[in-house]
């Protein structure tokens, strides 16, 4: 059934049906003097006639809802147990280490780390930073590529109550400085492969601390252009005990305390530091096993960055609680993906939608049919490639989930329903108070009825996905960001009743007649490209400075055969004086690759709103086809790194996939 087309219509509104049935029952037993059995049978018969849609829904969804309900019960029992015992992630991990100390936790390149070795390394980190005076509540930036030490460092910091901030290692300059500042980090731990990036900003990130400290894992590059004073972490750890942290210190940290910050992009512009509490991480640990279905004896293939919630939170949390082994990769490689899965006997693997497309674009090899991967989990596997992906690579089960790192509106599709990101129960809608509300297509603002309440979308109607906030609830609470202003922008009041409070996902979904939900688009000022959220506000700010404060609008455009939207910048330049070479080099220096606009459009004028805001809706809808647009447009050549004129032939090569993006 088409996800955008609703199914059978409800014959009578629900309340009218109840009223009719009640009146009939009492009429038959009172006036008609029927027995209660005869009356009940008649009511049941009429219910069947009036409720074709209810029976249709019951037949198609009861099994799905029941299975999900059982999973939720198991998950909530775990969370309640953790809350009762006042568990933290280190305490949870200690239980696992005690049970399987010598089992391999990480396969990384040519080395292995057991659960015990990870625990001892994290103890060294905890004892070392404790000796330096770090304490509960201190934020520490963690800035490095994937490696087992990454996990050991943040775990060790959490053992003394310090709060690691997991920063995207591709960020540079302003974005990096902001990410450090917004979490109020008093120190940074980084690896030698990002030494130069730290050197560029170290003078700007002291953040008011008179003795701002930095710690480098690995030797400083000899040919570096940046030289600054930093502590060589490996040398210091050699002199530090790997014994357990003092119990008094560990007991001072609780289930509801902050564990870490994971960053997410949003409408405020720069990355936002989302608060992840121990309770949320333990919830993710249960979700990995009870909901997604990763088994304790599975070996998980994890090529995604550890600052990303799929790898750094869901898979890692599952391993820390249930003891799964993880194959950790520094970077994703499509050519080695299935070869690695065979080499390490992988049985479960992670993905994001872009990754799946990359794998489909590779030449066929024997290994893609010889692996033992039975389960793949992640988000962003689009309906257009879902069937081809599963059939080509022989994947038994796809667990496609949806939900932001910080949000309270997580859903999942564990039924192999092609294209769906999850579902909401139509039979038991109040168990998980989630849903879609109408928003203005152009502005993204919620649409309200005459009573001031949000309007719930009907099947087939796109709307923003929202979830009710229930304070102190392990699943329904929203812990916000380090920045209170950013937190307030994600809150939506008076949704179903006056005074209620919901979390705004910022994403537009659509629901079919059985409650299955499908991703449609991002709303607001973000779009997704290369598996990352791109903030148009951030890119516009940096771009404007490079082009001498000219007006510019940044938005995402769709390219056939690709996931998400590629960045495009429209610049007000009637005299054609913008230096495109300077623009390309400036964006390369200040933005990560995924955030740099792939297209530039020079325009004579912009449409503006009544409040003098630049309008991007029409520009986004027009795309980048030179046969449809008279303005001059340019394409960022991935090989030269320069903007070149976009003509019909180049456009054809881009949309056909001849030019790899």
């Amino acid at each position: 059934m088409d996800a955008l087309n609703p199914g059978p219509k409800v014959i009578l509104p629900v309340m009218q049906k109840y009223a009719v049935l009640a009146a009939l029952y009492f009429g038959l037993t009172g006036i008609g003097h029927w027995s209660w059995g005869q009356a009940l049978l008649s009511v049941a018969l009429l219910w069947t006639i009036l409720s074709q849609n209810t029976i249709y829904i019951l037949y198609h969804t009861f099994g799905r809802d029941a299975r999900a309900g059982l999973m939720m019960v198991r998950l909530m029992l775990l969370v309640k147990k953790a809350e009762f015992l006042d568990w933290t992630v280190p305490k949870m991990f200690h239980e696992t280490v005690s049970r399987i100390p010598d089992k391999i936790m990480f396969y990384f390149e040519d080395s292995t780390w057991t659960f015990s070795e990870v625990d001892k390394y994290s103890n060294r980190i905890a004892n070392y930073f404790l000796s330096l005076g770090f304490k509960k509540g201190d934020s520490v930036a963690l800035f490095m590529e994937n490696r087992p030490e990454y996990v050991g460092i943040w775990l060790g910091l959490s053992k003394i109550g310090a709060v690691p901030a997991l920063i995207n290692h591709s960020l540079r300059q302003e974005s990096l400085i902001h990410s450090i500042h917004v979490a109020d980090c008093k120190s940074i731990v980084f690896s030698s492969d990002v030494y130069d990036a730290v050197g560029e900003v170290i003078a700007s990130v002291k953040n008011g601390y008179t003795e701002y400290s930095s710690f480098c894992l690995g030797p400083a590059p000899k040919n570096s252009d940046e030289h600054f004073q930093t502590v060589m972490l490996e040398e210091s750890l050699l002199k530090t005990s790997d014994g357990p942290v003092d119990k008094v210190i560990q007991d001072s940290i609780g289930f509801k305390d902050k564990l870490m910050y994971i960053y997410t992009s949003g409408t405020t512009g720069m990355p936002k530091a989302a608060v992840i509490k121990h309770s949320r991480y333990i919830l993710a640990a249960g979700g990995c096993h009870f909901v997604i279905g990763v088994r304790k004896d599975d070996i998980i293939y994890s090529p995604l960055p550890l600052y990303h919630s799929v790898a750094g939170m869901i898979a890692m949390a599952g391993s820390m609680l249930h003891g799964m082994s993880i194959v950790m990769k520094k970077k994703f490689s499509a050519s080695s993906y299935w070869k690695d899965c065979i080499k390490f006997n992988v049985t479960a693997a992670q993905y994001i939608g872009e990754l799946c497309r990359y794998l489909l674009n590779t030449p066929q090899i024997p290994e893609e049919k010889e692996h033992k991967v039975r389960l793949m989990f992640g988000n962003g596997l689009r309906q257009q490639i879902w069937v081809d992906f599963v059939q080509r690579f022989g994947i038994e089960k796809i667990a496609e989930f949806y939900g932001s790192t910080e949000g309270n509106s997580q859903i999942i599709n564990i039924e192999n329903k092609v294209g769906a990101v999850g579902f909401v129960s139509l039979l038991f809608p109040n168990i998980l108070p989630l849903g879609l509300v109408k928003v203005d297509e152009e502005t993204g603002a919620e649409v309200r009825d005459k009573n001031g309440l949000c309007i719930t979308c009907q099947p087939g109607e796109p709307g923003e996905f929202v979830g009710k906030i229930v304070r102190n609830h392990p699943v329904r609470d929203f812990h916000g960001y380090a920045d209170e202003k950013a937190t307030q922008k994600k809150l939506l009041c008076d949704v179903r009743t006056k005074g209620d409070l919901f979390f705004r996902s910022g994403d537009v979904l659509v629901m079919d007649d059985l409650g299955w939900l499908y991703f449609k688009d991002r709303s607001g000022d973000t779009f997704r490209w290369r598996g990352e959220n791109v903030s148009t506000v951030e890119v516009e700010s940096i771009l404007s400075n490079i082009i001498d404060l000219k007006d510019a609008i940044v938005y995402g455009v769709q390219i056939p055969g690709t996931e998400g939207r590629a960045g495009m910048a429209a610049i007000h330049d009637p005299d054609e004086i913008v230096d495109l070479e300077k623009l390309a080099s400036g964006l390369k220096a200040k933005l990560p690759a995924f955030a740099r606009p792939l297209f530039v459009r020079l325009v004579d004028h912009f449409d503006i709103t009544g409040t003098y805001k630049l309008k991007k809706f029409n520009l986004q809808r027009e795309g980048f086809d030179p046969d449809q647009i008279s303005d001059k447009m340019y394409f960022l050549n991935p090989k030269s790194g320069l903007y070149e004129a976009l003509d019909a032939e180049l456009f054809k090569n881009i949309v056909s996939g001849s030019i790899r993006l």
Side-chain angles (χ1 to χ4, degrees):
M1 182 173 293
D2 190 338
L4 301 182
N5 292 327
K9 300 293 183 181
V10 176
I11 298 174
L12 285 176
V14 173
M15 293 308 296
Q16 289 184 27
K17 286 191 290 187
Y18 286 146
V20 170
L21 294 173
L24 176 64
Y25 178 81
F26 288 113
L28 292 175
T29 55
I31 301 173
H33 302 293
W34 287 27
S35 70
W36 68 267
Q38 291 174 318
L40 196 60
L41 183 62
S42 299
V43 168
L45 180 62
L46 186 59
W47 171 263
T48 301
I49 296 171
L50 295 176
S51 308
Q52 296 174 28
N53 197 40
T54 302
I55 293 177
Y56 172 81
I57 292 171
L58 186 68
Y59 177 79
H60 286 282
T61 69
F62 182 77
R64 176 198 69 184
D65 294 359
R67 286 187 290 272
L70 180 60
M71 293 173 187
M72 182 59 66
V73 169
R74 298 177 70 188
L75 185 59
M76 292 307 299
L77 287 174
L78 167 69
V79 173
K80 288 299 182 182
K81 171 189 172 183
E83 185 176 19
F84 177 76
L85 297 175
D86 202 24
W87 257 12
T88 61
V89 171
K91 292 174 185 176
M92 176 184 78
F93 184 63
H94 176 73
E95 296 284 333
T96 304
V97 173
S98 300
R99 190 174 70 252
I100 48 171
D102 298 324
K103 183 177 179 179
I104 293 174
M105 184 175 184
F106 297 133
Y107 295 90
F108 179 70
E109 297 179 342
D110 295 324
S111 66
T112 59
W113 288 57
T114 66
F115 280 84
S116 178
E117 287 171 335
V118 173
D119 187 46
K120 289 179 179 178
Y121 184 85
S122 67
N123 285 343
R124 288 186 188 275
I125 292 290
N127 290 322
Y128 176 65
F129 279 86
L130 192 62
S131 72
L132 297 179
F134 283 77
K135 61 186 183 303
K136 181 179 179 180
D138 289 340
S139 298
V140 179
L142 184 54
F143 186 61
M144 62 179 66
E145 293 186 348
N146 286 7
R147 56 201 305 164
E149 293 92 338
Y150 187 104
V151 179
I153 290 169
W154 76 247
L155 180 61
L157 291 169
S158 71
K159 287 184 175 183
I160 63 172
V163 184
L166 311 187
I167 298 178
N168 183 335
H169 57 70
S170 66
L171 297 184
R172 296 294 183 268
Q173 296 190 7
E174 285 93 341
S175 298
L176 177 55
I177 293 170
H178 168 83
S179 297
I180 295 171
H181 280 178
V182 75
D184 195 26
C185 297
K186 65 177 294 185
S187 180
I188 182 171
V189 181
F190 63 96
S191 54
S192 56
D193 42 22
V194 292
Y195 184 94
D196 286 348
V198 175
E200 291 173 354
V201 303
I202 193 68
S204 303
V205 299
K206 292 188 176 180
N207 217 18
Y209 296 106
T210 56
E211 296 183 4
Y212 193 88
S213 52
S214 64
F215 304 86
C216 181
L217 185 68
K222 294 181 180 179
N223 59 347
S224 173
D225 295 330
E226 304 287 343
H227 293 285
F228 57 96
Q229 186 174 2
T230 186
V231 176
M232 308 314 293
L233 187 59
E234 288 175 314
E235 297 175 9
S236 301
L237 292 179
L238 292 174
K239 310 168 189 176
T240 307
S241 168
D242 63 3
V245 177
D246 187 281
K247 188 174 184 299
V248 174
I249 294 175
Q250 292 213 47
D251 287 346
S252 69
I253 308 163
F255 177 75
K256 296 182 180 179
D257 285 331
K258 286 182 187 177
L259 170 65
M260 61 174 61
Y261 293 112
I262 293 182
Y263 290 79
T264 178
S265 295
T267 56
T268 56
M270 292 286 192
K272 298 182 294 185
V275 176
I276 305 298
K277 295 187 177 183
H278 290 268
S279 57
R280 174 59 64 92
Y281 204 87
I282 293 171
L283 177 71
C288 182
H289 177 55
F290 297 128
V291 180
I292 293 173
V294 183
R295 301 168 184 164
K296 296 180 180 181
D297 60 349
D298 274 328
I299 298 177
I300 303 172
Y301 189 65
S302 181
L304 302 178
L306 289 171
Y307 62 76
H308 194 286
S309 59
V310 177
M313 189 168 168
I314 297 173
M316 197 61 60
S319 174
M320 286 185 171
L321 175 60
H322 300 288
M324 305 93 169
S325 300
I326 293 178
V327 179
M328 186 185 295
K329 296 289 291 185
K330 219 168 195 180
K331 295 180 180 178
F332 163 74
S333 168
S335 61
S336 64
Y337 193 96
W338 300 114
K339 296 175 184 177
D340 284 342
C341 287
I342 291 176
K343 177 181 177 181
F344 295 105
N345 292 312
V346 171
T347 52
Q350 297 175 302
Y351 70 84
I352 54 174
E354 291 81 357
L355 181 152
C356 298
R357 184 172 54 81
Y358 298 153
L359 291 174
L360 273 177
N361 287 338
T362 59
Q364 292 190 2
I365 57 174
E367 288 86 351
E368 68 185 50
K369 291 293 188 182
E370 297 171 356
H371 62 81
K372 298 178 182 177
V373 177
R374 62 172 184 83
L375 164 68
M376 292 190 70
F377 62 98
N379 58 341
L381 179 54
R382 295 291 180 255
Q383 189 168 3
Q384 293 84 346
I385 65 170
W386 187 304
V387 174
D388 290 341
F389 184 83
V390 169
Q391 291 181 349
R392 174 176 168 180
F393 300 118
I395 307 301
E396 177 185 329
K397 180 180 178 182
I398 294 289
E400 167 79 11
F401 55 82
Y402 166 85
S404 60
T405 302
E406 74 281 18
N408 70 342
S409 308
Q410 283 76 19
I411 51 176
I412 188 168
N413 168 14
I414 52 173
E415 304 283 332
N416 285 332
K417 176 69 174 178
V418 174
V421 299
F423 69 92
V424 292
S425 175
L426 301 180
L427 298 172
F428 313 104
N430 293 325
I431 293 178
L432 290 177
L434 311 169
L436 304 179
V437 297
K438 288 187 178 181
V439 292
D440 185 281
E441 185 178 6
E442 187 169 344
T443 66
E446 70 276 8
V447 178
R448 296 185 179 272
D449 62 18
K450 61 182 181 181
N451 298 315
L453 301 177
C454 292
I455 300 174
T456 300
C457 294
Q458 297 301 311
E461 291 182 340
E464 183 174 353
F465 190 57
V466 297
K468 187 175 183 179
I469 296 173
V470 181
R471 293 304 185 192
N472 297 316
H473 190 282
V475 179
R476 302 266 61 86
D477 202 356
F478 168 52
H479 301 139
Y481 308 99
D483 180 2
E484 181 58 28
K485 290 182 179 178
T487 299
Q488 291 301 316
K489 290 188 176 182
K490 299 296 284 187
L491 303 179
L492 186 62
C493 301
D494 302 337
V495 177
R496 294 178 178 173
T497 60
K498 290 292 185 180
D500 63 14
L501 190 64
F502 277 65
F503 170 80
R504 301 193 68 160
S505 69
D507 291 330
V508 175
L509 278 63
V510 63
M511 183 180 73
D512 69 12
D513 62 299
L514 297 177
W516 288 109
L517 291 161
Y518 302 81
F519 181 86
K520 188 173 186 293
D521 206 351
R522 293 193 68 81
S523 64
D525 297 321
T526 59
F527 60 88
R528 194 164 180 83
W529 181 244
R530 295 186 179 178
E532 301 283 354
N533 290 336
V534 180
S535 165
T536 61
V537 177
E538 176 189 354
V539 178
E540 286 168 355
S541 175
I542 291 173
L543 188 150
S544 181
N545 287 333
I546 297 172
I547 58 175
D548 302 321
L549 303 181
K550 292 182 180 295
D551 285 335
I553 298 175
V554 174
Y555 48 96
V557 293
Q558 291 182 316
I559 302 176
T562 65
E563 299 294 334
R565 295 176 181 268
M568 186 165 186
I571 301 172
H572 183 245
D573 186 34
D575 300 323
E576 299 183 15
I577 60 175
V578 167
D579 186 337
L580 293 172
E581 187 173 341
K582 176 185 174 184
L583 175 62
S585 62
L587 292 172
K588 182 178 180 180
K590 294 179 179 295
L591 287 173
F594 66 83
R596 298 169 200 156
L598 205 58
F599 303 98
V600 167
R601 175 178 175 178
L602 304 181
V603 302
D604 290 336
H605 71 278
F606 282 133
D607 293 330
I608 61 173
T609 69
T611 54
Y612 301 99
K613 293 180 180 178
L614 302 177
K615 298 176 70 173
K616 66 178 67 176
F617 180 73
N618 290 335
L619 292 169
Q620 185 176 39
R621 187 171 54 186
E622 290 167 359
F624 61 100
D625 185 350
D627 288 339
Q628 305 296 324
I629 299 170
S630 59
D631 296 326
K632 288 186 176 181
M633 293 185 292
Y634 301 85
F635 168 69
L636 184 60
N637 189 303
K639 293 184 178 179
S640 68
L642 299 175
Y643 284 104
E644 59 184 58
L646 179 61
D647 56 21
E649 183 178 356
L650 181 55
F651 173 81
K652 181 180 178 181
N653 290 334
I654 293 170
V655 299
S656 67
S658 300
I659 295 179
R660 296 195 64 179
L661 304 177

